[in-house]
Amino acid sequence: MKISIITATYNSGATIADTVESVLRQTFKDIEYLIIDGCSKDGTLDILRRYEPMFEGRMHIISEPDKGIYDAMNKGIGMATGDVVGILNSDDYYTSDDSLSVIAGFFSHNDADAVYGDIHFINEKNPDKCVRYYSSAVFRPWLLRFGFMPAHPSFYVRRDVYSKYGVFSLDYKIASDYDLMVRLLYKHRIKTGYIKKDFVTMRTGGMSTKNAKNRLLITKEDVKACRRNGLYTNIVFISMKYFYKVFEFRI
């Protein structure tokens, strides 16, 4: 079984080394690592080129203009040749060296279409401290109408699922990953599994929670995604996820 890992980059020089090194440390080696760069100007490509020989032909880098992160991810999915595909963002990294081994083991012994687990968030100034733990254990498809979804950075899916049901929609600025989840998990009811494991470490300050304007935008886009895929919801329902998130934060 081969796993394709996709990382979209744009001026990611400050964090990309952590991301790439976490892939290099993985004990599971049957991978291809696809870096889709949007013409970075800050030295990101120079950093990537230094790591490229260490992958012994398993890293592939393209750098060209794109229409944003979801377009870059779609390019990576189109290039992927692995049996399973996952996304690792350019400011995230694998929490442990056996993350991909655990994922590969799951798919080898199950007929599920996708699997997901947990992630945690850190503050850049104190990377050893977890400030928020995002567990996907409680997720059920009906919770999508309330804005809940599995932790997308922990989501690994068989490549043929994308061929059947589509990739990331470019109709959204922030919520295309949520739209994908609604489409795959609610509309098409793909078979999934959950692994109780912290797969990915994320830095705080993502686009969806950057400010009040972005939180309002993602709420509206979540409603749009649900209605587009035949799941009724409204802004009040979707906003309920913010009350739950309070309990994920660690003081």
Side-chain angles (χ1 to χ4, degrees), residues 138-150:
V138 300
F139 175 77
R140 301 294 183 273
W142 63 269
L143 287 170
L144 286 160
R145 80 168 69 242
F146 299 105
F148 294 92
M149 68 176 185

Side-chain angles (χ1 to χ4, degrees), residues 121-140:
F121 292 79
I122 60 168
N123 186 297
E124 186 68 34
K125 295 180 180 179
N126 189 4
D128 294 327
K129 181 181 179 180
C130 172
V131 297
R132 178 188 167 201
Y133 192 89
Y134 184 163
S135 174
S136 301
V138 300
F139 175 77
R140 301 294 183 273

Side-chain angles (χ1 to χ4, degrees), residues 74-98:
N74 286 345
K75 288 181 182 181
I77 294 169
M79 292 172 58
T81 61
D83 304 286
V84 172
V85 178
I87 306 291
L88 182 65
N89 294 324
S90 64
D91 51 359
D92 303 342
Y93 53 89
Y94 290 115
T95 302
S96 58
D97 298 347
D98 66 343

Side-chain angles (χ1 to χ4, degrees), residues 30 46 50 105 108 122 136 138 154 160 179 184 190 235 243:
D30 192 3
D46 294 331
R50 291 201 296 269
S108 295
I122 60 168
S136 301
V138 300
S154 74
D160 61 0
D179 171 81
L184 297 184
I190 67 169
I235 288 179
F243 293 101

